[in-house]
Amino acid sequence: MPWGLMVEIAILFVVGWWIEDCLVYYVAWRDFAFFGDISRLAARTHLNAIAVPAGAVAVWARAKDILTDSAALPAIAIHKGYDFLSPGLKGRAPVRFIVWCAGAIAATFNAESAGVLGRGMASLLVVAARSLVALNLGFWLANVVRLLNDALMAAVSFPKRFYGESAPEEIAALTVETTVPIDEVEPVYAHGKRNGRARRREYVQFFQGHVGRIGIVLGGGGARGAYQAGALKAIHEFLRDYNALHKVRVVAGSSIGAWNGIFWVGGKVGAEKTGSGDGELPLIEEWWKSVRLPDLGDLPWLYVPLVSKALLRPRPWRENFFANFETALADALGDQPRIHFYLARASAESGALHYATNWRGVTERISELPRDRQAEYANCEILTSGEGDPLQRTADALFGTFDLAPLFARAGGQGSDDEDLLERMPLGLAAELEDCDLLFVLPLNCGANVAAEWGVGGSRHFARILGAHKAAVERAQLREIDAANQFVQRIERIEFGVKTLVAASPPEGVAAEALSGLQEEIAEFNSENRMRYVFTVAPAGQVELGAADFWKHDQLRDAFDLMYLQTKRELYNRFFEDIEPEDPQIVMVDGAVPEFDALPKPVYRRPSEL
């Protein structure tokens, strides 16, 4: 739990306790006419007899006697019965032990000790009730101050917003992406100009001749999304430099990956003027480098420890979504979106994948899949059809993928709010459902050291188990897509052998029928499966951020810059080596920011070595 948040809650608790003391002990409520009338009305109708202290004492005394007798009488009976036992039984150790216990109970549960116990329990309940009231009173005070501050800031900034609104043409001009001529682009670390130019030509030919659809897959991981956001910026610049941005047709994400994906869909990953005086920054970078915990969540109006699902509610985060994307998502939520986005989650109870999308043709596409694969993608919500505002439904689906208890609780989306979620990278949505040729996969847990998670003792142990489970799920998905590529390669070799045999010596009879059936099976397999290029980069080692570390401002900025630089260097120099289907490499970037300017070389792992 962030220390700053804990200190704030402690201060609010003390203030709430002081206000409660003032209201209870220092305000003469009977002097107010309203409360005086109520007191006289209760006296005339004899309702005050219910609250007479003597009556309460009598009720407690009677209950005390019943509890004392029910606990003490059996013990007294056992203790008195010891005198009637034979000397042989009296000498046995188990009998003496039972009698000793009965005597202790009889001595403890008498009238005086039961009264002390009752008074202590009553005092404890009073303190607990007062603590709960003081805590929520402090939360109410903080929320009222926040609402007043928001109203004041809105009133002060209204003239500026009213007279400073840009014309639609000016707004559109800010979102136009400029393409740098490919001959002017230099690799980050090119080994000589000749090598750099040759590689650029290869990249151009690759994107022009081998890539038709590009998909971006983003895993979940809480505050570690800063690493992911930095990699997204590098990927955006790389595709922009090679005129391939228009080929990005799919963005699929879960949890914080869904949040980062919305920046791409809304055109907020490319550089644009922010007006902050820092030059041009993409909104995704500005957001991650300036985010504060109060910008994400505020205190609830009613909080009961061990009962409430989370300590914060994501109201400010949700308002931030509408402020940044209300107009930016107009094209994505239109009739014919250029980019299909998917906001995915997985149910912990059934393991089924649930997702929301802006693509209305997804149901028809699902019907084209093999029958045994259709059930995998059946739990779908189309955001642009049906009742309700598409932007509002998008917000519900987006925040419905978040599940970061006890800091944040999931709210909105499909299913019950009590449903537990699994963070699952939606690889199949981009690969199988959307049939992309090239995938940029950005997991956050498969190589990270889970020791960086929050908590102490049992809570830390639970967080590490949860982190290890997320890592295992991501590794399994990466190995699965690699295995699919290897299987496609084997079928290609078998197809080549079959064609060679047919051309060399045309078979007859049973051999001809067998080869014909084999060719049909190969053709059916090829219609359902094909090779996919996959570029995967992930933070690894002792990362500086845990899932709940949104309050670590310096580490968030460092994580963004580190992943941006490492991913950019990797894309411009080793892109082909990393996506080679015969020997794919997962780029594992050391998540610890170096103390000096020199960046350590990433570690490369095959999916089977994870």
Side-chain angles (χ1 to χ4, degrees):
M1 192 66 66
W3 285 106
L5 181 61
M6 295 175 65
V7 171
E8 179 185 358
I9 292 175
I11 294 175
L12 291 174
F13 175 78
V14 173
V15 173
W17 189 280
W18 175 75
I19 294 175
E20 187 180 3
D21 271 351
C22 292
L23 293 176
V24 173
Y25 297 111
Y26 303 115
V27 177
W29 297 102
R30 294 180 180 273
D31 295 341
F32 291 93
F34 174 75
F35 294 100
D37 294 340
I38 293 179
S39 178
R40 286 190 293 271
L41 179 62
R44 292 178 180 178
T45 57
H46 303 288
L47 293 176
N48 57 344
I50 301 176
V52 173
V57 171
V59 172
W60 163 243
R62 184 57 182 162
K64 179 188 67 176
D65 293 339
I66 295 174
L67 292 174
T68 301
D69 293 342
S70 61
L73 289 179
I76 294 173
I78 294 174
H79 190 265
K80 294 296 183 181
Y82 179 76
D83 297 335
F84 299 97
L85 296 178
S86 62
L89 290 175
K90 289 182 178 180
R92 294 186 178 182
V95 174
R96 292 201 307 271
F97 177 74
I98 293 174
V99 173
W100 176 82
C101 291
I105 293 174
T108 301
F109 286 93
N110 52 49
E112 183 179 357
S113 61
V116 173
L117 176 63
R119 288 190 295 272
M121 294 298 295
S123 300
L124 180 62
L125 291 176
V126 170
V127 172
R130 287 199 60 190
S131 299
L132 182 62
V133 171
L135 182 65
N136 283 275
L137 193 60
F139 285 5
W140 272 64
L141 179 64
N143 288 333
V144 169
V145 171
R146 173 184 52 77
L147 291 176
L148 293 176
N149 180 71
D150 292 345
L152 179 61
M153 295 302 296
V156 171
S157 61
F158 177 76
K160 180 179 178 181
R161 288 186 290 108
F162 181 78
Y163 293 104
E165 290 183 350
S166 301
E169 295 79 7
E170 297 176 355
I171 297 176
L174 292 177
T175 60
V176 173
E177 296 174 351
T178 59
T179 302
V180 180
I182 203 65
D183 292 336
E184 299 179 7
V185 178
E186 288 292 339
V188 180
Y189 296 112
H191 303 291
K193 290 187 177 181
R194 181 178 180 182
N195 180 55
R197 291 172 181 170
R199 175 149 295 219
R200 289 199 300 271
R201 286 195 299 271
E202 292 174 354
Y203 285 173
V204 171
Q205 294 171 0
F206 172 75
F207 282 113
Q208 289 180 350
H210 295 81
V211 177
R213 294 174 64 85
I214 298 177
I216 298 177
V217 181
L218 308 170
R224 289 176 182 166
Y227 292 102
Q228 193 179 75
L232 274 179
K233 180 186 175 185
I235 292 170
H236 186 277
E237 293 180 356
F238 176 69
L239 296 177
R240 178 201 62 194
D241 292 344
Y242 288 96
N243 301 322
L245 271 179
H246 65 283
K247 295 189 176 184
V248 177
R249 306 305 302 274
V250 182
V251 176
S254 175
S255 188
I256 199 65
W259 173 251
N260 283 332
I262 288 294
F263 282 94
W264 188 292
V265 176
K268 302 296 184 180
V269 179
E272 61 182 8
K273 294 181 179 179
T274 62
S276 60
D278 296 329
E280 293 187 356
L281 280 179
L283 181 62
I284 190 172
E285 180 176 2
E286 182 186 4
W287 190 88
W288 276 104
K289 289 186 175 181
S290 62
V291 65
R292 297 292 187 270
L293 197 58
D295 300 331
L296 304 180
D298 57 4
L299 298 168
W301 291 100
L302 177 61
Y303 179 74
V304 181
L306 304 179
V307 176
S308 300
K309 293 185 294 184
L311 183 59
L312 299 176
R313 53 176 186 165
R315 183 203 59 84
W317 202 341
R318 193 181 181 95
E319 292 178 355
N320 187 267
F321 167 80
F322 284 102
N324 288 322
F325 300 105
E326 185 173 5
T327 57
L329 293 180
D331 175 71
L333 297 175
D335 295 334
Q336 295 181 342
R338 185 178 64 86
I339 298 178
H340 301 162
F341 69 82
Y342 295 87
L343 310 175
R345 61 185 179 86
S347 171
E349 287 76 10
S350 62
L353 178 67
H354 298 256
Y355 61 95
T357 180
N358 63 331
W359 184 31
R360 297 179 183 179
V362 65
T363 53
E364 182 179 352
R365 170 57 183 158
I366 294 174
S367 65
E368 298 173 356
L369 296 175
R371 186 176 297 275
D372 59 336
R373 298 296 300 162
Q374 293 181 8
E376 173 70 12
Y377 307 105
N379 301 310
C380 171
E381 177 190 3
I382 301 177
L383 299 171
T384 55
S385 62
E387 299 180 356
D389 179 25
L391 186 67
Q392 184 71 37
R393 296 178 64 185
T394 300
D396 292 340
L398 172 64
F399 290 96
T401 66
F402 291 6
D403 195 0
L404 194 60
L407 196 59
F408 291 106
R410 185 174 69 89
Q414 293 177 332
S416 170
D417 289 346
D418 295 330
E419 183 181 21
D420 296 323
L421 301 185
L422 295 176
E423 288 186 0
R424 173 181 170 186
M425 283 195 309
L427 258 173
L429 293 172
E432 186 175 20
L433 190 62
E434 288 278 359
D435 199 23
C436 292
D437 308 294
L438 171 62
L439 299 176
F440 289 93
V441 183
L442 305 180
L444 292 173
N445 304 288
C446 65
N449 190 334
V450 296
E453 293 295 352
W454 53 268
V456 294
S459 63
R460 183 181 180 87
H461 179 65
F462 174 75
R464 294 185 62 180
I465 292 176
L466 185 60
H469 176 266
K470 295 177 182 178
V473 172
E474 290 183 351
R475 292 167 184 166
Q477 290 182 280
L478 293 172
R479 287 194 292 264
E480 182 180 351
I481 195 169
D482 179 54
N485 273 347
Q486 294 181 10
F487 198 62
V488 171
Q489 295 174 41
R490 293 183 180 181
I491 296 298
E492 287 180 351
R493 290 194 291 268
I494 293 174
E495 183 181 15
F496 175 78
V498 170
K499 291 180 178 179
T500 303
L501 289 175
V502 172
S505 56
E508 299 179 357
V510 177
E513 294 179 1
L515 281 176
S516 177
L518 186 58
Q519 288 175 326
E520 292 178 359
E521 292 293 335
I522 292 175
E524 183 178 355
F525 177 85
N526 289 337
S527 66
E528 299 175 357
N529 304 274
R530 64 190 183 87
M531 194 87 67
R532 306 184 197 282
Y533 298 98
V534 182
F535 176 85
T536 307
V537 59
Q542 188 67 38
V543 298
E544 296 188 352
L545 292 169
D549 290 340
F550 287 98
W551 55 283
K552 295 183 177 180
H553 313 139
D554 295 337
Q555 287 84 344
L556 289 173
R557 290 192 293 267
D558 291 342
F560 185 99
D561 291 336
L562 171 69
M563 205 65 170
Y564 165 71
L565 293 174
Q566 290 281 41
T567 304
K568 187 171 184 177
R569 179 176 70 175
E570 194 68 23
L571 287 170
Y572 283 90
N573 292 282
R574 280 183 45 90
F575 181 62
F576 283 151
E577 289 82 349
D578 295 331
I579 66 172
E580 181 61 44
E582 287 79 9
D583 188 22
Q585 302 288 327
I586 297 177
V587 185
M588 313 294 282
V589 176
D590 189 355
V593 178
E595 297 181 359
F596 305 99
D597 294 336
L599 295 177
K601 184 178 179 181
V603 177
Y604 304 99
R605 293 283 185 269
R606 296 181 177 88
S608 58
E609 297 174 346
L610 290 176

